[in-house]
Amino acid sequence: MRIFKKVLLAVLPILFMKIVAAAPAAYTPVSLGGVKRVLIVMTNHSEYPTRSDHTGLWLTELTHVYDALKGAGFAVDFVSPEGGVTPLDERSLGWLYVDSAAKEHLNDPAFMAALQSTKAAAEIDPAAYQAIFYAGGHGTMWDFRGNKELKRIAEGIYRDGGIVSSVCHGAAGLLDLEDAKGKPLIEGRRVTGFSNFEETLSGVKDQLPYALQSEMEAKGARYEKSLLPFRSFTVTDGRIVTGQNPGSSKEVAQALLNALGNRN
């Protein structure tokens, strides 16, 4: 028994070193021209057709992803279809949804100023970015789809080997995207976004110009969703990373980082 223990003690350090050597290295952001950048897209739209409350960006769908990217060493730029102010969805500011990190951002003058002065899509050079991330909020249903500049940026990033990602209604930004052959980028791809059932439960279905899930399926996407509504659910299909709803923002942030890491 003593001999066995001596042999075991002698072998353990060697085994430990092999395990450490085999373990994946800490995540290192991709560098382009010495700068590591991800572009986050947010809406400019705040009005519902007949409701008195206002929509816009769903705050934590930005902050959870922003914090994860910054923590991983990325520079992050904010862009919107027209530039300037990104309105905040009123419901996203309720006590049920705003966590302590989001509250810190709300109290950060520099961060809030950045939401008031986003870059316009027409100003963006896609070659500067390793990924594009579409944040959600119902406002995106009006101004993400049909925007030629956002389409140009996302297609440029993707064709250069970058990542296209979204959460919740941000997937509206994927509907126009095409591959190099002119086919819908999401055709035949596993994706997710705010479901038709969740839209019914949200209480604003009758206010929207279209149903996101239905439009993704019409583009030939292999739409997937969580068994239960509003549960975190994320899908990665190659260089397309999507999250279903606001509760998915932390999970989709990690999936985005994983996809960026796989580019190395």
Side-chain angles (χ1 to χ4, degrees):
M1 182 62 72
R2 289 182 179 178
I3 295 175
F4 174 77
K5 290 177 67 176
K6 289 182 178 181
V7 172
L8 185 61
L9 290 172
V11 171
L12 277 176
I14 298 174
L15 292 175
F16 177 76
M17 291 301 294
K18 287 186 176 181
I19 291 171
V20 171
Y27 177 71
T28 302
V30 182
S31 177
L32 182 65
V35 179
K36 308 173 289 289
R37 291 192 176 277
V38 172
L39 187 68
I40 294 184
V41 188
M42 297 169 286
T43 183
N44 295 123
H45 189 90
S46 65
E47 301 293 329
Y48 286 113
T50 61
R51 290 173 64 100
S52 60
D53 60 326
H54 292 83
T55 182
L57 165 71
W58 195 272
L59 180 60
T60 55
E61 291 178 13
L62 165 65
T63 57
H64 288 161
V65 176
Y66 174 84
D67 289 344
L69 289 169
K70 295 291 283 186
F74 279 93
V76 177
D77 289 335
F78 293 165
V79 67
S80 60
E82 302 301 326
V85 177
T86 289
L88 297 180
D89 187 289
E90 291 179 14
R91 289 197 291 181
S92 79
L93 303 180
W95 67 268
L96 186 62
Y97 306 110
V98 176
D99 57 15
S100 59
K103 288 179 180 178
E104 288 183 11
H105 286 300
L106 285 172
N107 293 319
D108 180 353
F111 185 85
M112 297 305 293
L115 295 184
Q116 298 295 307
S117 57
T118 63
K119 296 182 178 181
E123 303 173 12
I124 299 298
D125 177 6
Y129 300 93
Q130 287 79 52
I132 183 170
F133 174 76
Y134 292 92
H138 278 108
T140 67
M141 299 283 278
W142 281 272
D143 63 357
F144 278 11
R145 192 177 193 182
N147 188 284
K148 294 181 179 180
E149 293 298 335
L150 290 180
K151 174 179 165 68
R152 171 186 63 83
I153 296 165
E155 289 178 350
I157 290 172
Y158 189 81
R159 292 173 188 176
D160 197 35
I163 313 299
V164 170
S165 183
S166 67
V167 69
C168 200
H169 292 92
L174 309 183
L175 295 174
D176 290 338
L177 304 185
E178 296 175 329
D179 63 17
K181 297 181 180 179
K183 294 182 179 180
L185 184 64
I186 60 175
E187 181 178 326
R189 308 298 291 273
R190 297 172 56 241
V191 296
T192 191
F194 209 61
S195 71
N196 289 349
F197 184 45
E198 288 171 322
E199 208 67 86
T200 298
L201 295 176
S202 74
V204 296
K205 182 179 180 179
D206 63 340
Q207 298 285 304
L208 303 179
Y210 53 89
L212 181 58
Q213 175 186 338
S214 297
E215 291 300 303
M216 296 178 83
E217 291 171 336
K219 291 289 184 179
R222 295 165 56 194
Y223 178 86
E224 299 180 8
K225 63 180 180 179
S226 171
L227 181 63
L228 296 176
F230 303 111
R231 293 292 298 274
S232 179
F233 185 78
T234 299
V235 176
T236 299
D237 189 334
R239 291 183 286 111
I240 301 177
V241 180
T242 51
Q244 181 178 332
N245 48 43
S248 309
S249 55
K250 288 184 178 180
E251 186 178 345
V252 82
Q254 187 56 55
L256 174 57
L257 288 176
N258 291 342
L260 284 161
N262 289 335
R263 291 190 65 216
N264 290 337

